[in-house]
């Protein structure tokens, strides 16, 4: 059963996507060379940008017929750019939840999501003093805690060493599978996709 379907989609008359089906409750890796549209595909799926032609379907509904806020909460994109406020990890959790007008999770829940993302830092650790890879993991932990139905991760291991990448992806796969969360991961690193992907979709550049 497909959660996401991409049909006959063309973006800016340059990037043409094959018909794509994303299986419900599985982890699908999107792989391909630079410029093939991997990040663009994620933005099309959650309606951040719109195709010139074709359509994207979420649970068999054209996403243009779904309320934008509802769609982006259920189909959550965690992009490559990390946005953390000046302050502690706990303060960042609180600010993001207040922004969404959601109930703030307990400290124990925050710590559990940090562990899933291999970000075992104290909640009072200040985000502005962290390395890029540490900030990336904290950011993913906050967004994963929103428990979307579909989570899309754009190069989530780009700032991490291989050992940390492997541990984090193992944890995320276990967590999302256990919670029947559909997961889409863009990665240029094929061995990671082959190890943790239930499905791998390879995109090609339009000029190839």
């Amino acid at each position: 059963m497909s959660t996401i379907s991409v049909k006959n989609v063309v973006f800016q008359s340059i990037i043409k996507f094959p018909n794509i089906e994303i299986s419900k409750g599985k982890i699908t890796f999107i792989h391909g060379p630079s410029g093939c549209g991997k990040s663009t595909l994620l933005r099309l799926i959650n309606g951040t940008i719109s195709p010139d032609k074709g359509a994207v379907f979420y649970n068999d509904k054209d996403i243009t017929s779904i309320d934008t806020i509802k769609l982006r909460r259920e189909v959550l994109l965690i992009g490559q750019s990390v946005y953390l406020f000046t302050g502690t990890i706990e303060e960042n959790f609180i600010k993001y939840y207040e922004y969404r007008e959601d109930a703030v999770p307990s400290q124990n829940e925050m710590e559990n999501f940090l562990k899933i993302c291999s970000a075992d830092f104290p909640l009072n650790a200040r985000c502005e003093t962290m390395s890029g890879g540490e900030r990336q993991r904290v950011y993913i932990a906050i967004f994963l805690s929103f428990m979307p139905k579909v989570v899309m991760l754009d190069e989530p291991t780009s700032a991490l060493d291989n050992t940390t990448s492997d541990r984090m992806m193992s944890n995320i796969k276990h967590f999302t599978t256990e919670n029947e969360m559909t997961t889409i991961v863009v990665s240029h690193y094929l061995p990671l996709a082959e190890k943790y992907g239930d499905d791998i979709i390879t995109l090609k550049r339009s000029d190839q």
Side-chain angles (χ1 to χ4, degrees):
M1 180 179 176
S2 297
T3 296
I4 303 290
S5 298
V6 177
K7 298 183 179 180
N8 304 312
V9 165
V10 178
F11 180 70
Q12 291 189 345
S13 303
I14 299 172
I15 304 175
K16 299 178 181 179
F17 293 97
N19 288 345
I20 293 171
E21 302 288 335
I22 304 293
S23 298
K24 184 177 181 179
K26 292 188 176 182
I27 183 165
T28 299
F29 274 77
I30 309 295
H31 178 73
S34 297
C36 69
K38 299 186 297 294
S39 297
T40 298
L41 177 61
L42 299 191
R43 293 164 66 203
L44 287 163
I45 288 173
N46 85 332
T48 304
I49 56 176
S50 301
D52 300 332
K53 296 179 181 177
V56 178
F57 296 86
Y58 170 52
N59 291 333
D60 296 325
K61 292 183 179 179
D62 190 319
I63 64 168
T64 59
S65 68
I66 303 172
D67 176 79
T68 302
I69 294 175
K70 181 178 185 293
L71 174 68
R72 292 178 188 169
R73 286 194 172 209
E74 292 192 10
V75 183
L76 184 65
L77 172 58
I78 306 177
Q80 294 185 50
S81 298
V82 173
Y83 297 101
L84 292 177
F85 301 99
T86 298
T88 66
I89 292 175
E90 183 175 8
E91 288 168 346
N92 270 270
F93 267 97
I94 291 169
K95 285 182 179 179
Y96 268 107
Y97 272 82
E98 287 178 344
Y99 177 75
R100 288 168 59 99
E101 298 182 346
D102 287 343
V104 177
S106 67
Q107 289 185 336
N108 185 58
E109 289 171 326
M110 293 180 192
E111 289 169 347
N112 285 340
F113 279 100
L114 290 171
K115 287 178 182 177
I116 290 169
C117 296
S118 298
D120 299 35
F121 312 121
L123 291 175
N124 63 359
R126 297 193 66 84
C127 295
E128 64 269 24
T129 65
M130 294 179 173
S131 69
E134 291 170 342
R135 288 169 58 85
Q136 183 182 38
R137 281 175 278 160
V138 169
Y139 185 68
I140 293 171
I142 292 171
F143 276 71
L144 193 62
S145 75
F146 295 144
M147 296 297 292
K149 294 182 179 179
V150 179
V151 60
M152 302 190 292
L153 298 139
D154 193 354
E155 297 285 4
T157 63
S158 60
L160 309 180
D161 59 69
N162 289 344
T163 300
T164 307
S165 297
D166 190 76
R167 184 171 63 246
M168 185 179 77
M169 286 310 308
S170 176
N171 291 346
I172 287 177
K173 179 168 185 177
H174 177 76
F175 175 78
T176 57
T177 300
E178 189 176 66
N179 288 278
E180 299 183 341
M181 191 182 294
T182 301
T183 308
I184 307 171
V185 183
V186 160
S187 179
H188 69 280
Y189 190 52
L190 186 56
L192 198 71
E194 291 174 336
K195 186 171 184 179
Y196 292 109
D198 296 314
D199 298 308
I200 300 175
I201 294 171
T202 301
L203 300 182
K204 296 181 180 180
R205 289 172 57 101
S206 298
D207 55 5
Q208 291 182 330

